[in-house]
């Protein structure tokens, strides 16, 4: 019997690397935002088993604190393993049956993503649209519900691509009256701006860990109310996505604790700490802090002669779109902020590409110090990027 002969090990892909050394950036863009130091410490703890009774207890704490943060009693409130888009997909995957009419109210980039996903689950997707920087009126929504009679209305609360906060008054009531589920994207609002899932009669919601919650990316909070649960339980076929199937996940997050997939335990350590810190601060205080700091940013930018893209009454405290002045190379300025000052600011997406900067003040990053630091840089450094400025100043 001859021993099997192994081929020689190839060293083609064997990089010889130094230990990781990432810079400490200040992330004032559309996300991720900086994580709270306490959250980072929690992430580096030794993992425990995902069926360990202590972990099971922690799961309950995360669920309960998510309910507080969302102001909901929804039993099915869990962090999906994956980023916000995984939780977004979970809301649709579990409730959409082929041929269901899904109405997506699109006023920015993430509305388009919802429409794309709903189509992949074979929904009959219909859309209404507003220009990037505007919100929907109750009347427009009602007209669309009457015209299309959808099974689900999907809308984004805080549009990170435009900096618009959709007013929610009355939308939930309309959806009940027209027998339709209300699906709300709360990715850039959770933990940072007033949000009341139950009082607003929201049936399905999702968010992410890396914006208002001061965690790194990796978890997507998900919540499903009783009306959405009834639709899911009445489906003809299986949920067409195994990983995000809430009927299966419920056996792990519910009382059975049956293995489905290995929970990212350390991410949930971080989430637990992030939510604990938020509960300690109190939701009203966190919401106030975000509004105060955003208002300071807005008035500071305006006093520098810069124009904000969104009218004051629709402005989103977590994300501000600032029009890039005529003659300024917006990309060059944000690269300069990143390379010289370690500060990330976002650029425009879609209809706003090249037209705005996107400044995020989310979670741990929403502080008067960060506002002050950024305003000082806009005041002192931006003039060199104006077309009329001497070239030497721009490269200094
Ligand atoms: C960031 C974001 C998402 C997607 O979340 P990921 O964590 O990037 O997957 C969805 N909706 C909105 C409004 C967002 O800002």
């Amino acid at each position: 019997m001859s021993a099997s002969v192994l081929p020689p090990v190839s060293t083609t892909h064997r990089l010889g690397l130094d230990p990781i050394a990432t810079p400490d950036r200040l992330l004032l863009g559309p996300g991720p935002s900086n994580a709270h130091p306490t959250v980072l410490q929690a992430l580096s703890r030794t993992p425990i088993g995902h069926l360990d009774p202590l972990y099971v207890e922690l799961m309950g704490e995360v669920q309960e604190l998510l309910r507080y943060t969302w102001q909901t009693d929804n039993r099915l409130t869990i962090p999906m393993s994956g980023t916000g888009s995984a939780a977004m997909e979970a809301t649709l995957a579990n409730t959409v049956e082929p041929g269901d009419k899904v109405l997506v109210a699109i006023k920015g980039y993430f509305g388009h993503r919802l429409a794309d996903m709903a189509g992949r689950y074979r929904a009959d997707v219909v859309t209404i649209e507003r220009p990037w920087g505007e919100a929907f009126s109750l009347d427009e929504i009602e007209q669309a519900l009457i015209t299309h009679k959808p099974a689900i209305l999907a809308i984004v609360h805080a549009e990170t691509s435009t900096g618009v906060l959709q007013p929610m008054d009355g939308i939930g009531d309309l959806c009940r009256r027209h027998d339709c589920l209300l699906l709300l994207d709360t990715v850039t609002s959770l933990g940072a701006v007033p949000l009341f899932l139950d009082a607003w009669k929201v049936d399905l919601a999702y968010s992410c860990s890396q914006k208002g919650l001061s965690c790194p990316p990796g978890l997507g909070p998900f919540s499903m109310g009783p009306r959405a649960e009834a639709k899911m339980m009445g489906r003809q076929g299986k949920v067409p996505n195994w990983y995000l199937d809430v009927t299966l996940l419920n056996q792990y997050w519910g009382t059975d604790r049956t293995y489905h997939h290995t929970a990212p335990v350390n991410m949930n350590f971080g989430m637990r700490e992030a939510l604990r810190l938020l509960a300690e601060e109190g939701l009203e205080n966190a919401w106030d802090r975000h509004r105060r700091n955003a208002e300071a940013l807005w008035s500071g930018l305006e006093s520098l002669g810069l124009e904000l893209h969104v009218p004051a009454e629709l402005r989103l405290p977590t994300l501000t779109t600032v029009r890039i002045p005529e003659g300024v190379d917006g990309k060059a300025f944000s690269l300069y902020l990143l390379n010289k000052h370690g500060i990330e600011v976002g650029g425009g997406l879609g209809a706003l590409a090249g037209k705005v900067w996107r400044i995020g003040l989310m979670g741990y990053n929403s502080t008067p110090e960060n506002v002050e630091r950024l305003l000082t840089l806009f005041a002192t450094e931006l003039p060199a990027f104006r077309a009329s400025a001497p070239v030497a100043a721009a490269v200094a």
Side-chain angles (χ1 to χ4, degrees):
M1 214 175 93
S2 62
S4 69
V5 180
L6 301 173
V9 171
S10 161
T11 56
T12 309
H13 305 292
R14 188 180 186 182
L15 292 180
L17 296 179
D18 292 328
I20 191 165
T22 51
D24 279 330
R25 304 258 200 237
L26 176 58
L27 302 175
L28 301 182
S33 184
N34 290 71
H36 194 291
T38 303
V39 170
L40 293 176
Q41 279 172 9
L43 290 173
S44 66
R45 299 185 72 82
T46 303
I48 58 179
H50 69 120
L51 296 170
D52 185 314
L54 286 178
Y55 186 70
V56 167
E57 195 179 315
L58 183 140
M59 290 163 71
E61 293 165 352
V62 168
Q63 289 186 284
E64 196 59 2
L65 286 174
L66 277 176
R67 291 184 188 108
Y68 165 68
T69 309
W70 253 324
Q71 292 291 286
T72 183
D73 298 329
N74 288 343
R75 186 178 68 83
L76 289 172
T77 300
I78 60 176
M80 288 287 168
S81 305
T83 66
S85 303
M88 181 191 239
E89 187 146 353
T91 56
L92 294 162
N94 284 281
T95 53
V96 172
E97 287 189 90
D100 275 353
K101 195 164 270 185
V102 175
L103 170 65
V104 188
I106 301 177
K107 56 184 182 339
Y109 180 87
F110 291 100
H112 286 287
R113 183 173 296 182
L114 276 164
D116 180 358
M117 281 185 185
R120 290 166 193 248
Y121 288 98
R122 295 164 58 206
D124 174 5
V125 181
V126 288
T127 61
I128 48 175
E129 295 204 34
R130 295 296 305 165
W132 291 42
E134 296 180 19
F136 286 93
S137 70
L138 209 49
D139 200 46
E140 285 164 326
I141 289 174
E142 176 152 44
Q143 285 313 312
L145 291 176
I146 291 168
T147 307
H148 299 295
K149 301 181 178 41
I152 300 174
L153 165 69
I155 189 165
V156 176
H157 185 213
E159 223 341 314
T160 325
S161 62
T162 65
V164 167
L165 182 64
Q166 170 66 46
M168 292 303 298
D169 261 0
I171 297 182
D173 286 321
L174 279 182
C175 287
R176 296 278 162 110
R177 200 170 317 138
H178 294 278
D179 196 22
C180 150
L181 297 178
L182 174 56
L183 189 167
L184 190 64
D185 177 317
T186 66
V187 172
T188 306
S189 54
L190 185 65
V193 305
L195 183 49
F196 296 89
L197 285 200
D198 289 359
W200 292 354
K201 302 186 169 74
V202 176
D203 300 294
L204 288 157
Y206 58 89
S207 191
C208 77
S209 48
Q210 76 272 15
K211 294 177 187 174
L213 299 184
S214 314
C215 266
L219 289 178
F222 166 95
S223 190
M224 176 183 254
R227 296 169 82 233
E229 189 177 345
K231 179 156 178 24
M232 173 178 76
M233 296 317 290
R235 314 180 54 98
Q236 294 303 306
K238 284 184 181 179
V239 172
N241 183 317
W242 182 88
Y243 198 75
L244 302 174
D245 182 342
V246 170
T247 65
L248 299 176
L249 287 166
N250 185 36
Q251 295 170 28
Y252 175 55
W253 284 91
T255 43
D256 297 353
R257 309 297 176 184
T258 310
Y259 167 70
H260 177 258
H261 66 271
T262 307
V265 292
N266 287 55
M267 274 310 300
N268 277 292
F269 293 172
M271 178 60 82
R272 191 252 190 212
E273 285 302 273
L275 295 172
R276 177 181 69 79
L277 291 166
L278 190 54
E280 199 173 272
E281 181 179 10
L283 276 182
E284 305 92 315
N285 294 330
W287 296 342
D288 282 352
R289 172 168 58 83
H290 282 84
R291 176 145 291 274
R292 264 196 323 274
N293 291 321
E295 283 173 350
L297 176 72
W298 299 339
S299 64
L301 290 168
E302 284 177 329
S303 66
L304 292 174
L306 291 161
E307 244 185 285
L308 304 183
H309 181 64
V310 176
E313 65 278 9
L314 293 179
R315 255 176 234 157
L316 176 60
T318 40
L319 190 117
T320 300
T321 38
V322 188
R323 294 209 179 120
I324 298 169
E326 197 75 39
V328 168
D329 182 343
K331 181 86 196 156
F333 184 60
S334 46
L335 267 177
Y336 173 81
L337 289 179
L338 187 69
N339 293 329
K340 283 277 182 184
H341 298 281
I343 298 180
E344 179 177 281
V345 155
L349 276 181
L352 297 178
K355 298 190 174 135
V356 297
W357 290 296
R358 289 187 298 152
I359 302 176
L361 292 173
M362 303 176 182
Y364 179 68
N365 280 353
S366 173
T367 65
E369 295 73 28
N370 287 342
V371 171
E372 199 46 53
R373 191 167 161 204
L374 195 64
L375 285 175
T376 303
L377 287 171
F378 267 86
T380 57
E381 313 281 331
L382 184 59
F385 287 82
R386 294 189 185 263
S388 55
V391 174
V395 295

